[in-house]
Amino acid sequence: MISVGEALVAQLSERGVDCVFGIPGVHTIELYRGLAASGIRHVTPRHEQGAGFMADGYARVSGKPGVAFVITGPGLTNTLTAIGQGRADSVPMLVISGVNTLPSLGKGRGHLHELPDQRAMARTVALVSERVESADDLAPMLARVFGPFDSGRPGPTHLEIPLDIAGAPYTAEALAPSHPAPPTPSDDQIADAVALLAQSKAPVILAGGGARRAGNALRTLAEKLGAPVVQTVNARGLMFEHPLGVPASPSLQAVRRLIDQSDVVLAVGTELGPTDYDMYATGTMPRMQRMIRVDLCPDQLARQPAELSILGDAAAAIDALNTAIDASAAPDGPERATKTRREAVEEIGPEMRALCDVLAEMRTAVPGAIIVGDSAQPIYAGNLYYDHDRPGGWFNAATGFGALGYGIPAAIGAALAAPDTPVICIAGDGGAQFSLPELMCAVQENLPICFMIWNNHGYQEIATSMQDAGVSVVGCDPTPPDFAAVAQSCGLPFWRCGPEPDAVAKALRAATGKGGPTLIEIQAQPFLRQ
């Protein structure tokens, strides 16, 4: 007879889970009992926050939920930041934790790793948090925590298994995994949308992360309508070098003008959040006339008024529109897109343009790479304006929840999800120090990741914000380590270069030819005199 922990692993495997990120502890030993024989790959991060970020990166690239095993108490609290990032970006990830024995819960007797109410804490961040209280609970609780991955807007979920249950005999029957289809747009809603779009002389499409797996259909729709496609950060790569593509932040005035001058706005798979649409915190959003909004989440649809709200999967809605639309394209769509791109590039200024030039040279040096970012100057620039050559291949934590330390572990998860694809991680020297030990995880797994550290000796973005607010700059100059010595200690091939585009590209070409993980330090101009 198998245990509940062994049954858990078996049922995860049946649901297609092939990789788990976790650090074993005394409160998760029973979850590991069946792992070695299951065929599921186990990856050991150096911190539970890293486990969560790895699960995030894995999920974004694979399209499957990323799974993390963490211990009771501090294991789960350490993972909460990653859960928050996943919640903000609608990333399907499952965190499975231990919890103290059922009779001890809520008693406050000082047990190891005890929290007053661990599940209630998780529920403040996760979409769903459930507990297995008997062998009979395992299958239905798994169904509940997997439920948001198959229907509605995805996000992180949590399952906890008490110590006295994990090792108990499993006497229940497993439920066959179900995969309900996401909501499908109604024929009437599609017909109403087609009628609005047919009247449009200057349509525009706003594409968010929810559309990132519908690239071909989105391009077809844009061409049928003659509509420029503005791509938020998580949608970059969908319209690479397309005449109708606008790979620029809708917070820029140039892009706001495009949206304002459009007579119908089709917003697909975007939450219209301020970190994309009002990153300068003006308190205003672009004016959107006759908006048609498509989203998986009814709560999201209710948060922003629209002339027509369509509940459904972005890809399904785009396919339905393509089938139904029989209208001539607005003739000036490419012209409007070109004008917006030109004005957006001018608007971001010379410093950001120089950083965008670095990104463009990186793209040329390693075409088709997945670029994962932390909050760092090149990432800020790219989020303002950058056209990537791979759908879903540009993502970072500089929008939404905005967690520092994301880049290095998320890149590890991405590399595990796409083992034949080069992965580039861009992190600042400050953010890298949040998760620098995870470099050894990449070494241990021999992953083809080039870690690029933009070293300007501090938190430049925060220092600039403090100066702009008239506040004396304090605490923004954490001394970075000797990255050459870090690389040597980890056994990583190392390059150091200046911030010039050709120098960065040369180092990157050399580094990505090595096969395993590598480290490049880009010596940028320090923002403060040292």
Side-chain angles (χ1 to χ4, degrees):
M1 183 177 293
I2 64 172
S3 68
V4 170
E6 290 173 293
L8 167 72
V9 171
Q11 291 179 37
L12 288 175
S13 182
E14 290 172 5
R15 290 178 176 275
V17 175
D18 56 15
C19 186
V20 167
F21 304 92
I23 302 175
V26 294
H27 281 189
T28 53
I29 287 175
E30 287 299 332
L31 305 186
Y32 280 79
R33 186 176 292 280
L35 197 59
S38 69
I40 296 176
R41 181 175 186 171
H42 183 272
V43 176
T44 307
R46 276 38 178 181
H47 191 281
E48 287 95 353
Q49 187 180 101
F53 286 147
M54 289 177 195
D56 177 305
Y58 176 90
R60 295 195 200 219
V61 173
S62 70
K64 302 191 300 183
V67 179
F69 280 5
V70 300
I71 64 166
T72 310
L76 184 60
T77 56
N78 284 340
T79 316
L80 285 178
T81 297
I83 295 174
Q85 186 69 49
R87 176 73 177 257
D89 287 345
S90 304
V91 177
M93 54 187 283
L94 169 60
V95 176
I96 301 176
S97 75
V99 72
N100 294 96
T101 60
L102 276 173
S104 74
L105 297 182
K107 300 296 196 309
R109 293 172 177 166
H111 289 282
L112 179 67
H113 303 329
E114 185 177 22
L115 284 168
D117 191 338
Q118 180 174 284
R119 186 170 50 164
M121 178 191 69
R123 281 177 171 164
T124 65
V125 188
L127 293 177
V128 174
S129 178
E130 300 292 352
R131 179 188 299 147
V132 176
E133 297 189 352
S134 70
D136 290 340
D137 280 348
L138 177 62
M141 291 303 106
L142 269 178
R144 289 189 190 182
V145 295
F146 271 85
F149 306 151
D150 295 318
S151 61
R153 187 184 185 194
T157 63
H158 168 246
L159 180 68
E160 65 180 22
I161 304 180
L163 293 175
D164 52 338
I165 302 300
Y170 185 73
T171 54
E173 291 187 9
L175 300 176
S178 63
H179 300 283
T184 302
S186 72
D187 292 341
D188 289 344
Q189 288 178 321
I190 294 298
D192 290 343
V194 170
L196 281 173
L197 291 165
Q199 302 167 19
S200 175
K201 303 299 182 184
V204 69
I205 297 173
L206 308 179
R212 65 184 176 274
R213 301 189 189 277
N216 291 335
L218 180 65
R219 286 190 289 275
T220 299
L221 179 61
E223 290 163 1
K224 281 190 171 188
L225 297 173
V229 181
V230 178
Q231 301 136 72
T232 66
V233 169
N234 286 326
R236 298 293 173 82
L238 287 174
M239 300 286 291
F240 178 59
E241 292 188 340
H242 194 286
L244 290 167
V246 181
S249 169
S251 293
L252 294 172
Q253 291 302 316
V255 183
R256 287 187 167 207
R257 281 193 295 273
L258 171 70
I259 298 170
D260 180 66
Q261 294 165 7
S262 299
D263 55 7
V264 174
V265 175
L266 175 60
V268 184
T270 173
E271 69 174 357
L272 302 173
T275 58
D276 274 310
Y277 290 84
D278 187 28
M279 67 165 55
Y280 298 111
T282 64
T284 63
M285 295 282 284
R287 189 166 68 98
M288 302 181 193
Q289 301 184 75
R290 309 199 76 183
M291 180 164 66
I292 305 167
R293 191 165 182 214
V294 180
D295 202 280
L296 273 173
C297 177
D299 293 337
Q300 277 296 337
L301 290 174
R303 288 175 185 136
Q304 294 281 356
E307 183 156 337
L308 176 61
S309 295
I310 299 176
L311 178 65
D313 174 67
I318 294 170
D319 285 341
L321 289 170
N322 276 328
T323 299
I325 285 175
D326 183 20
S328 57
D332 64 344
E335 179 183 338
R336 289 189 293 138
T338 299
K339 180 175 183 289
T340 304
R341 291 194 300 268
R342 183 176 62 248
E343 292 177 351
V345 169
E346 181 65 26
E347 182 181 338
I348 65 175
E351 292 184 8
M352 288 298 180
R353 283 199 297 273
L355 292 169
C356 291
D357 289 343
V358 172
L359 295 173
E361 285 296 320
M362 290 170 55
R363 183 187 61 214
T364 300
V366 189
I370 297 168
I371 300 182
V372 184
D374 218 316
S375 293
Q377 291 300 306
I379 297 299
Y380 294 136
N383 286 351
L384 283 174
Y385 191 101
Y386 173 65
D387 196 9
H388 197 49
D389 62 354
R390 181 188 183 95
W394 170 270
F395 59 89
N396 56 77
T399 63
F401 197 56
L404 271 173
Y406 172 86
I408 291 175
I412 291 170
L416 286 159
D420 298 324
T421 302
V423 175
I424 299 168
C425 171
I426 302 175
D429 59 292
Q433 291 182 73
F434 279 52
S435 51
L436 207 56
E438 302 300 357
L439 292 175
M440 282 307 301
C441 181
V443 171
Q444 185 170 350
E445 300 295 330
N446 193 32
L447 300 174
I449 307 171
C450 180
F451 297 100
M452 308 188 76
I453 309 298
W454 185 267
N455 187 1
N456 57 13
H457 293 260
Y459 302 134
Q460 180 173 335
E461 190 72 13
I462 304 303
T464 301
S465 297
M466 293 175 79
Q467 290 168 342
D468 291 346
V471 176
S472 298
V473 176
V474 176
C476 292
D477 56 349
T479 302
D482 181 338
F483 286 106
V486 169
Q488 184 178 18
S489 70
C490 294
L492 288 168
F494 177 77
W495 288 261
R496 180 180 283 132
C497 67
E500 301 78 18
D502 55 346
V504 173
K506 180 180 179 180
L508 184 56
R509 280 192 292 267
T512 52
K514 295 296 182 180
T518 55
L519 181 64
I520 297 174
E521 178 188 4
I522 304 170
Q523 292 186 310
Q525 181 68 32
F527 76 94
L528 291 173
R529 292 182 179 179
Q530 302 299 305

